[in-house]
Amino acid sequence: MRRIITVLLYLLWPFLTDAQKACSYTEYDNYLQTTHPGLTERYASLAQTLLNRQQASTTPSSNLFGVAAPVDAAVPDQIVIPVVIHIITPNGGKVVTDDQVRAQLEALNRDFNARNSDLANVPAHFASLVANPGFRFELAKFDPKGKATTGIIRKQTSIQNFVMDDRVKFSARGGDDAWDSDQYLNIWVCTLLNSIQGYSSKPGAPKEVDGVVLNQSVFGQLDTLNRYYMGRIAVHEIGHWLGLKHIWGDGYCGDDGIGDTPPQKTYNKGCPSGEIFSCGASAHGDMYMNFMDMTDDVCMYMFTLGQRAAMRSLFEKGGVRHSILAGSGLSGKGQQDNVDNPYPEIPAVRTLSLFPVPSQGQLTISITDGSFLPGRKAQVYNSLGQVSLSFLLNNPQQQVNISSLRAGVYYIQVEGGAYKAARFIKM
């Protein structure tokens, strides 16, 4: 009985507190740890592993505090995250459109690449801490079975309003099952009750519930009458999914574990201005324009260098999110359903050898099985299936200059000869 009461309190807490509160991350995390035995110990183990990696490093750039990037060369400058959007609509409810989905992805790619024009509003005393996290979010092109997909799933439900009990994440409970969180970022869009605008799991959560839930009222950038119309509830929640705490550390003048975010008493709301000194230890007060505070969308517009390093460290070898880098959500093979496939299946398959991988300036293509014929056309495709480079293969071992390509995952397809598309990473 005590456990049931505790769970109910976690679920109802957002309704008993400030009605304008935008994020229920802390309450949801407590709920998960209460309902999943052993999860608290798992979080502690992951935290200790990260600490051990930091202490074992001999280079200062692997420290999470105030640095620009992790040192692991396998982490590309631009980390691409395959996204699946589960849109759960109550019977007769308002439909979330594809335009809203596109607008939300635009918002994520704007803010996680420091392309937002309101960065000009960052006060001078925080300007040197502004970071470009270097994440790009793309709708998945292939589902976990290798079949082509739009990355958008739509389902009707009899549930009018969801709460933080994770029903939205299970088909048998009125929602939709998660895709493998080692390969995808799952985002559920639904109607959430009252003050819950969104909530997120943190790294290490059970795979079947790992992801972000967003109230459809704050999803996208189309409802300009909403104070959260810029898609930044999703930016905030994905910050949690990438391991960031709230900027106040979820405690009175708490610690978020990031060295370049100043301490503050609690969350800010609305649209503050000037310097606010809620905790006495910082020179310029609260960083209320940080995405991990709770101000209105128009008044949050920055991540710090320390936050960038913390998020990207998850993708280093051994990191909780590392498997996404090699995932098949954007590049796997499958039967295409009205989606152009730059890598069609071919009956007989010969293998291209590529080296070095990862590569920066020169990539060598090697064909050593005796099937080489000069003059074959080769094309390099990016993860969107767009042709990024074309050339002719004139030698069985040929160097290709790829210095003009942006960092990311690419595929080389050679016409004729039944060659399998070969994958490489451009650093």
Side-chain angles (χ1 to χ4, degrees):
M1 177 62 72
R2 179 179 299 175
R3 180 177 176 180
I4 294 174
I5 293 173
T6 301
V7 170
L8 287 174
L9 283 173
Y10 287 141
L11 295 178
L12 293 173
W13 182 252
F15 316 137
L16 305 176
T17 56
D18 187 350
Q20 299 301 322
K21 190 172 182 180
C23 174
S24 303
Y25 167 77
T26 307
E27 293 81 11
Y28 176 66
D29 185 45
N30 290 335
Y31 163 72
L32 272 188
Q33 293 188 56
T34 300
T35 55
H36 289 76
L39 185 57
T40 301
E41 291 75 13
R42 172 169 167 77
Y43 285 156
S45 176
L46 290 172
Q48 186 60 51
T49 299
L50 179 60
L51 180 61
N52 292 343
R53 288 169 55 202
Q54 295 168 4
Q55 293 174 341
S57 174
T58 59
T59 55
S61 58
S62 66
N63 188 316
L64 293 185
F65 306 119
V67 300
V71 296
D72 192 334
V75 180
D77 289 340
Q78 183 87 161
I79 296 174
V80 183
I81 308 293
V83 180
V84 53
I85 309 287
H86 309 262
I87 299 175
I88 313 300
T89 306
N91 296 328
K94 183 179 179 181
V95 174
V96 175
T97 66
D98 287 355
D99 284 344
Q100 282 177 272
V101 174
R102 284 189 287 269
Q104 182 60 75
L105 289 176
E106 288 172 3
L108 295 176
N109 291 324
R110 173 198 68 206
D111 291 341
F112 277 95
N113 287 280
R115 294 201 305 261
N116 47 310
S117 59
D118 48 8
L119 273 177
N121 298 330
V122 174
H125 47 266
F126 290 142
S128 64
L129 301 176
V130 171
N132 174 1
F135 288 90
R136 187 168 77 252
F137 300 86
E138 297 182 8
L139 288 174
K141 295 183 178 300
F142 298 89
D143 70 12
K145 295 182 179 179
K147 185 177 180 181
T149 179
T150 63
I152 303 173
I153 300 173
R154 297 180 180 277
K155 286 194 172 182
Q156 294 282 320
T157 183
S158 60
I159 299 173
Q160 293 300 306
N161 293 286
F162 288 92
V163 294
M164 292 186 300
D165 59 359
D166 280 339
R167 283 189 297 171
V168 73
K169 300 177 182 179
F170 296 93
S171 297
R173 302 178 68 189
D176 191 52
D177 293 338
W179 289 11
D180 183 358
S181 63
D182 287 339
Q183 309 289 321
Y184 306 89
L185 163 58
N186 289 275
I187 297 178
W188 289 269
V189 182
C190 61
T191 54
L192 287 169
L193 193 61
N194 290 354
S195 63
I196 306 176
Q197 304 296 351
Y199 63 92
S200 172
S201 63
K202 67 183 183 182
K207 292 179 64 173
E208 66 272 16
V209 298
D210 188 17
V212 170
V213 180
L214 297 170
N215 195 324
Q216 70 174 45
S217 66
V218 299
F219 183 75
Q221 304 182 77
L222 305 182
D223 185 2
T224 57
L225 299 179
N226 191 321
R227 62 192 298 185
Y228 305 117
Y229 75 93
M230 295 179 68
R232 284 174 168 169
I233 294 293
V235 174
H236 177 102
E237 297 301 338
I238 291 174
H240 288 314
W241 184 80
L242 290 169
L244 298 183
K245 293 182 179 180
H246 287 128
I247 196 170
W248 67 96
D250 297 304
Y252 190 91
C253 291
D255 181 9
D256 65 351
I258 307 296
D260 59 3
T261 55
Q264 64 185 55
K265 182 172 62 177
T266 185
Y267 64 90
N268 289 288
K269 60 183 181 179
C271 205
S273 61
E275 294 185 359
I276 298 176
F277 294 91
S278 63
C279 291
S282 60
H284 297 286
D286 295 1
M287 189 185 283
Y288 51 76
M289 68 293 306
N290 193 284
F291 286 121
M292 301 315 293
D293 205 335
M294 287 190 183
T295 52
D296 290 354
D297 274 16
V298 294
C299 292
M300 54 164 59
Y301 31 77
M302 70 172 286
F303 287 111
T304 69
L305 295 171
Q307 289 174 320
R308 177 187 194 268
M311 291 186 284
R312 293 175 65 84
S313 71
L314 300 176
F315 296 84
E316 293 181 341
K317 187 176 181 180
V320 179
R321 305 286 187 205
H322 176 72
S323 60
I324 286 179
L325 294 179
S328 58
L330 296 173
S331 57
K333 284 178 170 287
Q335 297 298 318
Q336 296 293 325
D337 298 328
N338 299 319
V339 180
D340 292 333
N341 182 6
Y343 328 117
E345 294 287 353
I346 36 187
V349 175
R350 295 188 175 101
T351 302
L352 300 173
S353 295
L354 306 179
F355 60 90
V357 177
S359 182
Q360 287 186 319
Q362 297 290 329
L363 179 72
T364 298
I365 303 174
S366 180
I367 300 176
T368 58
D369 62 359
S371 64
F372 173 76
L373 289 175
R376 292 189 188 277
K377 183 180 179 181
Q379 291 183 306
V380 176
Y381 295 90
N382 63 18
S383 58
L384 295 175
Q386 300 166 331
V387 176
S388 302
L389 195 64
S390 296
F391 54 92
L392 296 179
L393 278 178
N394 295 314
N395 298 289
Q397 187 162 301
Q398 180 169 323
Q399 282 194 333
V400 180
N401 186 346
I402 60 169
S403 58
S404 62
L405 301 180
R406 298 179 62 181
V409 177
Y410 292 87
Y411 286 79
I412 290 181
Q413 179 72 69
V414 177
E415 67 178 14
Y419 292 105
K420 184 179 180 181
R423 176 180 181 272
F424 70 93
I425 298 173
K426 166 62 165 58
M427 300 301 295

